[in-house]
Amino acid sequence: MLPLLVADQIRQADAYTIAHEPISSVDLMERASKAFVGWFINHFPDKKQSISFYCGTGNNGGDGLAIARILHQHQYKKLTVKIVRFSDKTSADFDINLGRLKQTDIPISEINKGDELPDESSAIIIDALLGSGLNKPLTGDYERLVKHINALNKTVVAVDVPTGLFCNGEIQADATAIEADLVITFQQPRINFLLPESAQYIHCWEAVNIGIDEKYVRSINSPYQFIEEKDVKTWLKPRRHFSNKGTYGHALIIAGQAKTMGAALLSASAAVHAGAGLTTACVPESGLTALNSYLPEIMAIVRNENNLPQIEWDKFSSIAIGPGLGKGDDALELLSAVIKNHKKPIVVDADALNLLAEHPELLKKLPEGSVLTPHMKEFDRLFGEHKNWWQRLQTGMEQAKKLNLHIVLKNDYTITLSPEGQAYFNSSGNAAMASGGMGDVLTGIIAALLAQKYTPLQACLTGIYIHGKAGDELALPNRLNVVLPGKLTAQLPITMAKLIA
């Protein structure tokens, strides 16, 4: 796992590397700038494009000056540098790199307080104004300049962090920040890059390794972690000789109504394809034909609205409840029965989450280690309205710890919030997966992994990753704009086999 650091910790890691590698701060800046250029020239190989640098007078500006000089060495000739002197202060490394830049023939100009902002003819703008040190909203000349750059409709590449965007903490709805087409950040993504509010300011990002001391970063014990493929490979369990269907557990999926059987079918199918040895779907009698036609491998428990179905609770290794279930009295009675009778972790999704929100006393009765899988609106129904995702992140960490359960908060970088107070961000998946039914599939996957005796945390992190990875394997090579949930379930065994190989 990659520990994700807040802004102060990033500075501490830089300082530790400088002191213990040892390396001078200006040489670390040079290394970071070379790493930036290495990615930039692959992304923008046309050396005839005009590029304009907007550099502040701190270390982010120093990065910009070094990058301009290194690009010049790579034969990028249409470069101009604008030094933005809205502060009288300069950093030592900025001053060194300004001296080095003056040894080239790159045109340098200045923008001072209150100046009329210059016209811009370059095709690409490099934002190196303020970087990661910002801790308050932009005002005055900086706000005016950022709005000016955004209005130019140019391709913008930000160095480390778009100017005006906080690395961590709350992003205000009306925040002024550079709207970057690409952010090339140093060592690791900033936490706010992984939250939905960043979408307005970051079209895509790439983290480049600059050699920050990895042992020190891991010693910080950050509560924020980024899950990588190598982590999932260590958790996935290969199938062994002489195993049988009983080895891999029995998952029960309680889902669906007459009009919402699709949710039940997708969730149960995902459990089968993710490796549960046996899968049973508890569905209304009206859905039985659809279930048998869709996937005969799935067994059935038939229910009706008037009576609880007869369920042998001890037969099941894991239970998931909620997709397409409805919120009627029968659904509430069934959810209550599951909580009363099944003492292992339960996966709760969709309508069952909304029932928990309406009956919070049930939330406190869930077996320890249970898994809630809300999207944003379901999360807010459970835990109250939130103004932004940073607030949700903090609430989720508190509630997971308080309730001793796991919260899978779904978004592009789905976050698993654990009873230990940790937040794990997923690294797989893509926008082609934004399709109804994807959450039902994820529920079935997690239930299947629980049935196979993965720990609840492993079931969440592994399930989310393989869900997104299967979507990547379908969408990216084939350039698909949309991946359907049913296609993704069929991809799951292939994806898991590749990861285990």
Side-chain angles (χ1 to χ4, degrees):
M1 294 180 206
L2 176 66
L4 298 172
L5 308 183
V6 299
D8 286 344
Q9 292 170 333
I10 292 167
R11 286 190 285 274
Q12 291 168 19
D14 287 349
Y16 184 92
T17 301
I18 290 166
H20 290 82
E21 184 169 334
I23 185 174
S24 68
S25 61
V26 73
D27 286 341
L28 182 60
M29 181 177 287
E30 187 78 2
R31 192 158 74 191
S33 299
K34 287 179 178 178
F36 181 104
V37 168
W39 182 260
F40 182 91
I41 62 179
N42 287 328
H43 207 81
F44 300 95
D46 183 1
K47 298 181 179 182
K48 297 178 181 179
Q49 288 189 100
S50 53
I51 304 173
S52 187
F53 290 76
Y54 286 73
C55 299
T57 54
N59 280 351
N60 193 241
D63 290 327
L65 299 177
I67 291 165
R69 172 172 44 80
I70 296 167
L71 281 176
H72 185 266
Q73 293 168 358
H74 282 271
Q75 306 305 311
Y76 286 77
K77 295 301 185 183
K78 293 184 178 180
L79 308 177
T80 59
V81 171
K82 297 176 175 67
I83 296 174
V84 178
R85 293 192 181 274
F86 294 159
S87 169
D88 296 330
K89 298 179 180 178
T90 63
S91 72
D93 292 343
F94 169 87
D95 291 334
I96 291 171
N97 273 298
L98 180 57
R100 292 174 178 175
L101 188 69
K102 287 180 177 178
Q103 303 303 310
T104 72
D105 60 359
I106 297 173
I108 302 172
S109 61
E110 293 190 358
I111 304 173
N112 293 291
K113 295 178 183 178
D115 282 356
E116 184 176 345
L117 299 177
D119 293 332
E120 183 56 71
S121 59
S122 293
I124 298 172
I125 291 175
I126 305 292
D127 164 33
L129 288 168
L130 292 176
S132 63
L134 190 71
N135 58 13
K136 59 183 180 180
L138 296 180
T139 58
D141 285 313
Y142 278 116
E143 182 180 21
R144 183 169 63 97
L145 177 57
V146 165
K147 287 181 175 179
H148 170 74
I149 292 173
N150 287 341
L152 293 173
N153 197 28
K154 305 284 188 178
T155 297
V156 179
V157 181
V159 178
D160 197 22
V161 179
T163 293
L165 184 68
F166 297 164
C167 290
N168 48 271
E170 297 185 31
I171 300 174
Q172 301 302 320
D174 58 350
T176 298
I178 287 288
E179 296 168 7
D181 297 279
L182 172 65
V183 179
I184 302 176
T185 193
F186 300 136
Q187 200 66 30
Q188 59 170 241
R190 307 319 184 211
I191 296 169
N192 273 345
F193 290 11
L194 310 178
L195 298 179
E197 281 96 354
S198 70
Q200 179 181 343
Y201 309 104
I202 302 174
H203 179 67
C204 64
W205 58 265
E206 180 69 25
V208 294
N209 192 319
I210 64 170
I212 297 300
D213 190 285
E214 187 173 334
K215 288 185 179 178
Y216 177 78
V217 170
R218 295 189 184 281
S219 75
I220 293 175
N221 294 322
S222 171
Y224 308 105
Q225 301 285 326
F226 195 55
I227 302 302
E228 300 173 294
E229 185 167 299
K230 62 183 179 182
D231 303 314
V232 178
K233 286 182 174 181
T234 66
W235 298 324
L236 276 172
K237 301 175 182 180
R239 298 206 167 203
R240 302 296 187 187
H241 287 301
F242 302 109
S243 59
N244 56 63
K245 61 188 178 183
T247 308
Y248 303 107
H250 193 165
L252 173 63
I253 309 297
I254 302 173
Q257 290 182 298
K259 296 181 179 179
T260 55
M261 272 300 297
L265 298 177
L266 288 169
S267 191
S269 176
V272 171
H273 285 90
L278 295 165
T279 299
T280 294
C282 180
V283 297
E285 187 172 5
S286 59
L288 192 57
T289 300
L291 180 66
N292 289 332
S293 301
Y294 188 72
L295 208 65
E297 291 87 351
I298 302 170
M299 297 177 290
I301 294 175
V302 176
R303 67 177 199 269
N304 61 54
E305 293 183 3
N306 300 317
N307 299 297
L308 276 175
Q310 295 296 314
I311 298 176
E312 298 177 54
W313 301 103
D314 292 341
K315 283 177 55 176
F316 299 103
S317 313
S318 70
I319 296 178
I321 182 168
L325 188 66
K327 296 193 297 177
D329 292 342
D330 58 321
L332 176 60
E333 188 178 8
L334 190 49
L335 175 61
S336 300
V338 171
I339 293 172
K340 179 181 177 181
N341 292 290
H342 191 72
K343 301 308 177 185
K344 299 173 185 176
I346 299 165
V347 185
V348 187
D349 186 27
D351 288 329
L353 291 172
N354 293 326
L355 286 170
L356 288 180
E358 294 173 3
H359 303 275
E361 70 280 2
L362 292 177
L363 184 61
K364 298 175 183 177
K365 296 179 181 179
L366 285 169
E368 65 179 32
S370 289
V371 179
L372 310 182
T373 61
H375 56 57
M376 180 186 77
K377 290 183 179 179
E378 291 165 343
F379 182 91
D380 283 4
R381 290 186 199 114
L382 282 166
F383 302 118
E385 291 295 320
H386 295 79
K387 293 180 180 178
N388 53 61
W389 276 79
W390 185 263
Q391 289 183 0
R392 289 187 188 93
L393 181 58
Q394 305 311 310
T395 295
M397 293 168 75
E398 292 168 7
Q399 290 293 334
K401 194 172 184 178
K402 176 182 175 182
L403 297 167
N404 197 19
L405 46 73
H406 301 80
I407 302 172
V408 173
L409 182 50
K410 294 181 282 197
N411 66 71
D412 269 26
Y413 301 94
T414 291
I415 311 163
T416 299
L417 306 155
S418 76
E420 294 74 33
Q422 300 282 103
Y424 300 89
F425 290 81
N426 184 51
S427 60
S428 64
N430 60 84
M433 296 170 63
S435 180
M438 278 296 178
D440 305 323
V441 170
L442 179 60
T443 295
I445 295 172
I446 295 173
L449 296 177
L450 285 173
Q452 294 169 74
K453 299 181 181 179
Y454 288 77
T455 69
L457 182 61
Q458 288 174 345
C460 291
L461 301 184
T462 304
I464 295 162
Y465 186 86
I466 63 176
H467 179 255
K469 184 69 172 178
D472 289 342
E473 289 179 349
L474 288 171
L476 302 185
N478 302 306
R479 298 184 180 181
L480 296 181
N481 194 46
V482 176
V483 170
L484 295 180
K487 297 292 186 183
L488 188 141
T489 59
Q491 178 68 24
L492 287 170
I494 301 168
T495 297
M496 294 173 75
K498 289 178 180 176
L499 290 169
I500 290 170

